[in-house]
Amino acid sequence: MAQGVLAASFFVSGQEFRVSNDTLIARGVSIYGMVDVTRKRKLVPVMVTGTRHATIRGLCQSVLVDIPVLGPYTMRFTGGRERPVEASNLFIDATNETTDNAEFRSLDIGVAQGDITEGPINPGDRNSKFFDPDGVGQQAESAPLTNVHWTAVAVSAGTFNVPGLRAQLKPGRHECF
C-alpha cells in the first residue's frame, strides 16, 4: 500500500505508459485540461481525470523500458483481482482515454475549471501557470466505468491500496493493452 501527501508538483519523464482496469467506480469526478512539464522543459498537454475516491478491479499498469544492450523490457504492475484496489484523491494525467461504458451521474459539462466542486483539482495544478480557472471542465457526482484504457504520463494519489500487487520486469513488450 502506498500512502502519502499529494506532491505539490513534479516533472514528468514525458514517457507514456499504459493503465487499464476492468471496472472503476469513481466518486467525485473532475476532468480538465492541463500541461505537464518534463525536466527538459518540454510541455506535455494532458487531460486530468481526478476522483475523490475510486474502487478499481483488475488494475494493470505497464511501461516499456529500453535497457542498454538487452533491449526492451516491460515493467508491469497488476492487482485488485480478488479484492478491489481503493484509492483516494487519484489523478491520472492522460493523453488518451477509452472505455467500453461510462455512466456519469449528476454530470456538468462546460463548468469553469476554477468552479469544479464535485471532483478534486490536483493542488499542484491549481497553483500552476498552466491551470486556467476560466477553462472548460467537466464534473460528476459519480461514474462507473468498464474496460478503461489510459495512455498516461503521470498518476498520483493521496492513498493507493493495491491488494494482490504483482510487479514484474519481463523482456520484450508485455503492455496492458
Side-chain angles (χ1 to χ4, degrees):
M1 176 163 90
Q3 283 189 288
V5 178
L6 291 174
S9 65
F10 59 87
F11 292 114
V12 298
S13 70
Q15 181 176 350
E16 292 183 329
F17 54 93
R18 297 176 189 256
V19 179
S20 67
N21 58 64
D22 297 335
T23 62
L24 182 144
I25 299 172
R27 289 185 293 286
V29 180
S30 59
I31 301 173
Y32 57 93
M34 190 60 196
V35 175
D36 287 351
V37 182
T38 70
R39 288 181 55 86
K40 294 180 179 179
R41 306 290 191 251
K42 179 182 175 197
L43 304 180
V44 182
V46 294
M47 171 182 57
V48 178
T49 300
T51 181
R52 293 193 194 285
H53 185 268
T55 303
I56 302 164
R57 289 207 174 265
L59 174 69
C60 181
Q61 184 236 311
S62 63
V63 62
L64 290 176
V65 179
D66 190 25
I67 299 177
V69 180
L70 298 178
Y73 272 68
T74 304
M75 285 193 307
R76 187 175 166 121
F77 304 88
T78 58
R81 295 271 178 225
E82 306 265 329
R83 292 180 303 140
V85 172
E86 299 286 339
S88 67
N89 291 318
L90 175 66
F91 297 96
I92 301 174
D93 294 18
T95 57
N96 190 45
E97 176 184 349
T98 62
T99 181
D100 284 351
N101 191 58
E103 182 182 324
F104 294 98
R105 296 183 181 130
S106 297
L107 175 66
D108 295 321
I109 298 174
V111 64
Q113 289 178 185
D115 286 343
I116 290 175
T117 57
E118 287 290 342
I121 300 293
N122 191 323
D125 291 350
R126 191 174 294 281
N127 298 323
S128 169
K129 68 180 179 181
F130 298 111
F131 183 78
D132 180 1
D134 296 319
V136 67
Q138 180 174 318
Q139 65 180 357
E141 182 180 286
S142 64
L145 305 133
T146 56
N147 195 28
V148 186
H149 295 162
W150 281 282
T151 303
V153 296
V155 174
S156 60
T159 62
F160 205 77
N161 182 343
V162 186
L165 175 65
R166 182 174 182 195
Q168 297 177 292
L169 179 64
K170 296 172 67 171
R173 298 176 73 92
H174 304 280
E175 295 173 284
C176 297
F177 60 92

